[in-house]
Amino acid sequence: PQARAITTRLRAERRFFHWELEFPAVFADGGFDAVLGNPPWEIRKPSSQEFFAAVDPGYRARGKQDALHHQSEMFREDPALERRWHSYLTDFKNVGNFTRHVFHHQGSADLSNYKLFVEQAHALLRPGGQLGLIVPSALYTDKGSAGLRRLLLGACRWRWLYGFENRDRVFEIHRSFKFAVVIAEKGGATDVVQAAFMR
């Protein structure tokens, strides 16, 4: 009963989504024909500035040592805030531990949402299904993305890799931020990738 209660609470908090249960007919045929998207690009790590700025709007202006001292003062004044902070940190750690057991191509760097989406898109496809995603250029430049590159090269026919700069402000991100359109077919292996950069 205690485990069921915890599971029920977590299910309500996390709103878990089970693809195979939601789309049984799709997975009876092996998966989706296509997965298209522009996944979120945030890195999944705790931010003391984000957390404490919600309590103290001036927190972001503090230097590191001053911020740490101010945290201690806030914890003394409000022990519940300290519990929420530790719960916040624990939540990130738990999600990271869970994710690394489920996703096997994320590398050792910080968890990035786009990387999780690339691997999930691949998992959702039937053999021969196509994925098309807009992702940060980190997919083809960062050491921490090597596992995903191996997946796309060794278990897919990676067809297109088009790298873009944001000079024309297509996205509401800094003009120098680089991103890529990735198109791959699940199955087989990659001999040649059609690529272009600095578009």
Side-chain angles (χ1 to χ4, degrees):
Q2 191 176 25
R4 276 195 195 95
I6 293 169
T7 303
T8 301
R9 179 181 55 79
L10 286 173
R11 184 180 62 210
E13 285 176 10
R14 299 289 178 188
R15 300 184 345 244
F16 293 118
F17 189 88
H18 196 292
W19 288 92
E20 289 83 357
L21 294 178
E22 297 293 333
F23 298 100
V26 170
F27 287 95
D29 287 340
F32 286 96
D33 294 330
V35 175
L36 304 172
N38 177 12
W41 299 353
E42 293 85 14
I43 294 174
R44 297 193 50 82
K45 62 194 272 187
S47 167
S48 61
Q49 288 196 349
E50 182 179 298
F51 181 89
F52 289 106
V55 177
D56 173 10
Y59 184 86
R60 291 181 191 270
R62 296 177 180 276
K64 184 175 183 176
Q65 293 305 316
D66 183 34
L68 291 171
H69 178 70
H70 188 58
Q71 282 177 28
S72 297
E73 289 176 1
M74 288 190 292
F75 292 158
R76 266 194 306 279
E77 292 172 13
D78 183 1
L81 176 65
E82 184 173 16
R83 288 191 296 276
R84 286 198 317 270
W85 170 242
H86 289 295
S87 177
Y88 172 80
L89 294 175
T90 301
D91 188 47
F92 274 95
K93 185 175 182 179
N94 289 341
V95 168
N97 289 338
F98 171 79
T99 302
R100 295 199 191 282
H101 287 290
V102 176
F103 294 87
H104 303 287
H105 304 280
Q106 297 300 299
S108 58
D110 290 329
L111 288 176
S112 296
N113 284 336
Y114 89 87
K115 290 166 58 175
L116 298 168
F117 273 77
V118 171
E119 188 169 344
Q120 183 67 41
H122 177 267
L124 293 173
L125 291 171
R126 66 166 175 75
Q130 304 280 329
L131 68 83
L133 299 171
I134 300 172
V135 297
S137 63
L139 177 68
Y140 63 86
T141 61
D142 287 5
K143 181 179 180 182
S145 300
L148 283 176
R149 289 192 296 273
R150 281 192 291 275
L151 176 68
L152 291 171
L153 291 167
C156 293
R157 292 181 185 89
W158 190 349
R159 297 172 45 217
W160 295 356
L161 170 61
Y162 286 168
F164 294 91
E165 286 189 333
N166 196 41
R167 283 181 287 212
D168 294 335
R169 296 187 186 267
V170 173
F171 292 98
E172 292 183 18
I173 53 176
H174 193 274
R175 289 176 54 135
S176 66
F177 197 88
K178 296 173 183 64
F179 59 95
V181 173
V182 174
I183 299 176
E185 176 184 338
K186 184 174 183 175
T190 303
D191 295 321
V192 176
V193 178
Q194 186 172 339
F197 302 98
M198 306 293 282
R199 296 296 171 149

